[in-house]
Amino acid sequence: QSCHRPAGQRASQEPGSGGLPEGVEYIPTRKKGKNPMKPVGVAWYSLYARTRLGYLFYQRQVKKARERYPHGHSVPQPYCFPGLKILPIPVLSNNYSYLVIDTGSNQAAVIDPSDPLAVQAAIEEEGVILEAIFCTHKHWDHSGGNEALCQKHNSCRVYGSALDAIPQLTNPLADREKVSVGCLTFEALATPGHTVGHMVYALDGGPFGSPPCLFSGDLLFLAGCGEPFEGSPEIMLASLDVAMGLGEDTLLWPGHEYALECLTFASLLELDNAALEQKLQWAVQQRQEKRSTCPSTLGEEQTYNPFLRTHRPELQEALGLWQSSGEDPDAFRARVLKEVRRRKDLYQAT
């Protein structure tokens, strides 16, 4: 596989979408989403996250995905700089694991190994030594491969938050703690909301002449944001602000391929956003060819991701929200985030 350095892409194909007549309000309808975590209530989430039923459901997901997508749900593109290689591994029906390689020492880390067979195949093809597993959170679609990989790689350590029940966890991490794998340096950032112990991992690209890289798990997607299953809008907003503090050139490597759905939803909120329209056209072409949409950049995300635009007057106006006199700015932004989340939960791309 050849490597590339991400650059802005344009698509020639126009997506089939249109605006709403003046005076007509968008009222979304609820449909069952492809993501099994979307239509859940409190009871189902508790069963999935805290009981063996969740693990059995995950095993069923793996089996079905292997049958339906024997070569993965998307065609990924490896990302290379001298001494660094990032290989997205498409797993399950829309997840991504990431194999991050120090090419000088052949030492590697994997982020969120959902399907151990797919991850192991990538390890063998690259001829690397797996030294570390970084888990963003406890959900099986991000941690289900930990046990099998640890059995195969005796020196491998499992990193994550002690606040989440991460399988096979060997090295609990604190907020802002750094871990080195060869010449790779990862910084763990506590980003609660999706789960109490959710963490994201920032890779220092400096030694390789690369921009920083953010492996965001279920905190942040291209044009989207994870469900706050175990946190409030205020907590999720604070976590998003932590991620955005990494800088606009940071490459975003999300835990799921949700770009087309998220961009289509966002286009219903901001009908006149040129950056959003261009990104949607590009994503339509990418997905028609079953190509991955990863990575984007945090700077790019701020131009079209509604969950990162809670401070923007045009989005606030589109939602019909105005800051009250004396209302704390962050409290207002949390209110905007809550409304975006409510509308997204009611929406499912057709």
Side-chain angles (χ1 to χ4, degrees):
Q1 289 180 300
S2 62
C3 292
H4 83 309
R5 301 185 185 188
Q9 297 116 324
R10 293 178 180 268
S12 58
Q13 188 154 354
E14 189 75 28
S17 61
L20 297 173
E22 184 176 354
V24 177
E25 180 184 4
Y26 165 63
I27 303 176
T29 57
R30 180 179 291 277
K31 293 183 181 181
K32 183 177 180 181
K34 294 180 181 178
N35 175 5
M37 299 303 292
K38 275 187 179 177
V40 305
V42 174
W44 166 240
Y45 177 73
S46 295
L47 289 172
Y48 178 85
R50 300 184 177 96
T51 72
R52 182 166 173 77
L53 180 63
Y55 180 68
L56 296 175
F57 183 80
Y58 152 76
Q59 287 185 312
R60 181 171 174 268
Q61 280 184 291
V62 172
K63 183 176 183 295
K64 289 178 66 176
R66 287 173 180 169
E67 293 171 353
R68 183 175 181 183
Y69 306 109
H71 304 294
H73 58 73
S74 302
V75 180
Q77 181 69 47
Y79 167 84
C80 297
F81 267 83
L84 170 67
K85 182 174 185 178
I86 298 174
L87 179 63
I89 306 171
V91 289
L92 304 185
S93 61
N94 53 43
N95 282 71
Y96 284 111
S97 300
Y98 295 98
L99 188 64
V100 186
I101 304 169
D102 168 15
T103 58
S105 67
N106 270 350
Q107 292 178 290
V110 66
I111 288 83
D112 287 353
S114 304
D115 183 346
L117 289 187
V119 173
Q120 181 59 31
I123 291 169
E124 292 177 2
E125 183 174 347
E126 296 295 327
V128 296
I129 304 164
L130 184 64
E131 297 287 359
I133 292 171
F134 291 98
C135 265
T136 58
H137 62 293
K138 64 191 174 187
H139 293 157
W140 291 109
D141 63 323
H142 293 258
S143 65
N146 289 5
E147 183 175 2
L149 289 171
C150 286
Q151 288 175 353
K152 197 162 189 68
H153 303 272
N154 295 332
S155 64
C156 181
R157 313 294 287 174
V158 179
Y159 297 87
S161 171
L163 298 178
D164 265 16
I166 293 175
Q168 309 300 123
L169 182 67
T170 60
N171 291 62
L173 293 175
D175 184 32
R176 306 284 174 174
E177 189 170 349
K178 294 183 178 181
V179 178
S180 293
V181 177
C183 293
L184 308 169
T185 301
F186 296 87
E187 183 177 13
L189 302 173
T191 51
H194 185 67
T195 66
V196 171
H198 194 285
M199 281 186 151
V200 298
Y201 299 97
L203 173 66
D204 180 7
F208 313 102
S210 160
C213 293
L214 174 63
F215 300 95
S216 61
D218 281 0
L219 170 69
L220 189 60
F221 311 126
L222 194 155
C225 170
E227 288 274 2
F229 288 121
E230 299 180 13
S232 64
E234 291 78 10
I235 289 173
M236 184 61 87
L237 178 64
S239 292
L240 291 170
D241 285 348
V242 166
M244 296 311 296
L246 293 173
E248 293 187 354
D249 65 333
T250 301
L251 300 177
L252 175 66
W253 300 94
H256 290 270
E257 180 58 71
Y258 290 158
L260 193 54
E261 176 190 330
C262 290
L263 286 163
T264 304
F265 165 73
S267 71
L268 296 173
L269 297 181
E270 294 192 70
L271 301 179
D272 298 318
N273 186 324
L276 173 56
E277 181 181 355
Q278 179 180 334
K279 191 68 175 183
L280 176 56
Q281 291 176 11
W282 173 80
V284 167
Q285 181 169 317
Q286 288 291 104
R287 296 313 298 154
Q288 284 178 343
E289 299 171 359
K290 300 298 182 184
R291 294 189 177 277
S292 169
T293 58
C294 305
S296 62
T297 69
L298 293 186
E300 222 187 324
E301 290 295 316
Q302 291 182 80
T303 67
Y304 52 67
N305 188 328
F307 295 95
L308 300 178
R309 292 172 59 79
T310 54
H311 62 295
R312 299 294 299 183
E314 53 267 48
L315 178 63
Q316 296 164 5
E317 183 178 348
L319 297 172
L321 296 176
W322 289 268
Q323 186 174 357
S324 303
S325 176
E327 184 176 15
D328 178 81
D330 283 344
F332 177 52
R333 290 177 59 217
R335 191 153 60 87
V336 175
L337 184 69
K338 182 178 181 180
E339 178 60 16
V340 176
R341 179 77 267 166
R342 184 187 73 83
R343 296 194 185 200
K344 180 64 173 70
D345 286 346
L346 293 174
Y347 171 83
Q348 171 62 33
T350 56

